[in-house]
Amino acid sequence: VRMKKYIVRLVILAVILGGIFSLIRFTPVGDYLNPQMLQENKEALKGFVERNYLASVLVFIAAYIVVVALSIPGAMWLSIAGGFFFGVIFATIYINIGATIGATLVFLAARFFLGEMIQKKYGDKLTKFNREVETNGSNYLITLRLIPVFPFWMINLFAGVTRIKPRTFIWTTSLGIIPGSAVYAY
């Protein structure tokens, strides 16, 4: 029964990812994520953003959430575009909101789809690790965010299979990505 539950979860995950991939690959949505298109139309886009500021901010944050949640390469380009369209300070805020929500979605998905299974299967081997994460998890996460030794998506995924509390993951992610977000927005 347990294995069937995990297989159903993995099938659901595969269908969701396949649908999103198809949307980006086989519809005009993917064209809007092309950096060359942004470069060629930057002045028209900047004017559009100024005339439709709130909608532009919401679309930017939503795009950032999708890029981070699906671990699609391109967050750096979005950050640079955000700095161009919104200025460094506001872009950093919008990047932070989108990246934190996207990272949290990956964290929660990893916990839902893999965390329980890994903890049950390797629980005896992870006892010391789980205790260490409970005691010092926030220090580890904030350090990993400030000093990007590992890819962003990998931290999101692996944190999800640990027993770190979601609120700890959220605040360490949000705080830890501010410097990098500001640099790219600049």
Side-chain angles (χ1 to χ4, degrees):
V1 174
R2 285 184 188 167
M3 188 54 106
K4 184 177 178 183
K5 182 170 84 170
Y6 295 121
I7 291 172
V8 168
R9 287 180 178 182
L10 290 174
V11 167
I12 290 169
L13 179 62
V15 168
I16 291 169
L17 292 177
I20 293 170
F21 173 78
S22 296
L23 178 73
I24 292 170
R25 180 77 171 117
F26 301 114
T27 68
V29 170
D31 296 337
Y32 294 109
L33 300 175
N34 182 340
Q36 183 178 354
M37 191 279 301
L38 291 172
Q39 177 65 29
E40 291 171 1
N41 299 299
K42 67 182 178 183
E43 293 308 318
L45 288 169
K46 190 152 178 110
F48 178 84
V49 167
E50 290 170 2
R51 290 186 306 278
N52 303 285
Y53 192 80
L54 180 59
S56 298
V57 168
L58 295 175
V59 167
F60 178 78
I61 291 172
Y64 219 100
I65 291 169
V66 169
V67 165
V68 171
L70 297 178
S71 303
I72 299 170
M76 176 187 73
W77 295 111
L78 268 178
S79 299
I80 292 168
F84 175 76
F85 291 122
F86 306 113
V88 175
I89 293 171
F90 287 111
T92 301
I93 293 168
Y94 306 149
I95 290 165
N96 191 284
I97 293 167
T100 301
I101 293 171
T104 302
L105 291 173
V106 173
F107 170 84
L108 293 173
R111 179 150 297 171
F112 178 76
F113 289 110
L114 300 171
E116 183 183 333
M117 180 178 64
I118 289 173
Q119 287 293 333
K120 283 183 180 179
K121 187 170 184 175
Y122 301 106
D124 55 331
K125 295 174 182 156
L126 293 172
T127 304
K128 184 179 176 187
F129 174 76
N130 284 328
R131 201 173 328 121
E132 185 68 26
V133 165
E134 252 180 65
T135 307
N136 298 310
S138 59
N139 293 335
Y140 290 138
L141 278 176
I142 198 81
T143 301
L144 288 172
R145 295 300 191 197
L146 289 170
I147 306 167
V149 176
F150 298 102
F152 190 74
W153 64 269
M154 188 182 293
I155 297 167
N156 303 336
L157 185 66
F158 286 140
V161 300
T162 69
R163 291 197 174 146
I164 197 152
K165 293 177 181 158
R167 72 174 168 260
T168 301
F169 176 82
I170 292 167
W171 79 257
T172 55
T173 297
S174 184
L175 183 63
I177 64 174
I178 290 172
S181 299
V183 167
Y184 283 116
Y186 179 74

